[in-house]
Amino acid sequence: MHTNSLYQEVILDHNRKPRNYGKLDQASHHAVGHNPLCGDRLDITLQLENEQICDIAFQGESCAICKASASMMTTAVKGKSRSDAEILIHEFRELATGKLDTGHPHHLGRLTVFSGIRDLPTRVKCAILPWHTLHAALNSISSTSTEANNDSAQMVSNHSVS
């Protein structure tokens, strides 16, 4: 299957049937993310126990790309440690912005379906918003925006991977 066709199929599937959609009643961490250019707004709730993401959910109003990214993100990080989630956040941002060399080892797995988003500059922030919001939640930052220049968006780009 052509990469573009696979991308479209995955986006449509996760948009129609988002995984982990909703809100956790017993969340230990929460953040709201907003993309003012597109109008996307997401709430991420998660339960962190012993530095492990035991459960995670998202809800909000967003475009298909943002919703699919959030759906795949929640599936990818559920059960992972905080540090493993931060690595995924960093790698996904690098992938979406065209800075990740997918020929080298990485941890993204099926998330690489988003590699073509780098060719759609107006949609990159849609795909990255859930990841910014997860980073904010993990770091007890109550809200984030794709347009902020000093919040978790900046922290994600400065996160180093060992």
Side-chain angles (χ1 to χ4, degrees), residues 6-7 15 25 48 51 59 63 70 80 119 136:
L6 179 60
Y7 166 77
N15 183 52
D25 292 330
L48 192 68
E51 294 297 299
Q59 63 182 9
C63 68
K80 297 267 195 276
D119 299 328

Side-chain angles (χ1 to χ4, degrees), residues 119-141:
D119 299 328
L120 304 167
T122 59
R123 308 308 282 179
V124 168
K125 289 180 181 182
C126 300
I128 292 176
L129 179 63
W131 299 86
H132 282 318
T133 310
L134 172 60
H135 178 77
L138 287 170
N139 290 281
S140 301
I141 300 167

Side-chain angles (χ1 to χ4, degrees), residues 8-9 30 32 35 37 44 49 57 63 98 117 125-126 138:
Q8 290 176 353
E9 186 176 308
H30 172 258
V32 176
N35 176 357
L37 295 177
I44 304 273
E49 293 177 15
C63 68
I117 202 80
K125 289 180 181 182
C126 300
L138 287 170

Side-chain angles (χ1 to χ4, degrees), residues 26-39:
Q26 300 297 318
S28 61
H29 292 71
H30 172 258
V32 176
H34 185 240
N35 176 357
L37 295 177
C38 183

Side-chain angles (χ1 to χ4, degrees), residues 47-155:
Q47 183 63 40
L48 192 68
E49 293 177 15
N50 298 320
E51 294 297 299
Q52 181 178 1
I53 300 171
C54 298
D55 205 0
I56 185 169
F58 77 98
Q59 63 182 9
E61 297 295 322
S62 64
C63 68
I65 292 170
C66 184
K67 186 183 285 185
S69 179
S71 176
M72 290 185 74
M73 176 197 73
T74 59
T75 301
V77 302
K78 190 184 281 190
K80 297 267 195 276
S81 69
R82 176 196 297 257
S83 62
D84 287 346
E86 291 285 2
I87 289 169
L88 286 172
I89 292 166
H90 173 76
E91 288 182 351
F92 189 86
R93 178 178 169 78
E94 296 292 298
L95 174 80
T97 57
K99 297 175 186 169
L100 181 74
D101 181 353
T102 55
H104 287 89
H106 58 79
H107 306 88
L108 294 173
R110 293 194 64 212
L111 291 164
T112 58
V113 74
F114 282 94
S115 64
I117 202 80
R118 70 179 174 269
D119 299 328
L120 304 167
T122 59
R123 308 308 282 179
V124 168
K125 289 180 181 182
C126 300
I128 292 176
L129 179 63
W131 299 86
H132 282 318
T133 310
L134 172 60
H135 178 77
L138 287 170
N139 290 281
S140 301
I141 300 167
S142 62
S143 66
T144 187
S145 168
T146 57
E147 298 308 300
N149 58 11
N150 63 351
D151 69 348
S152 66
Q154 187 64 31
M155 289 185 269

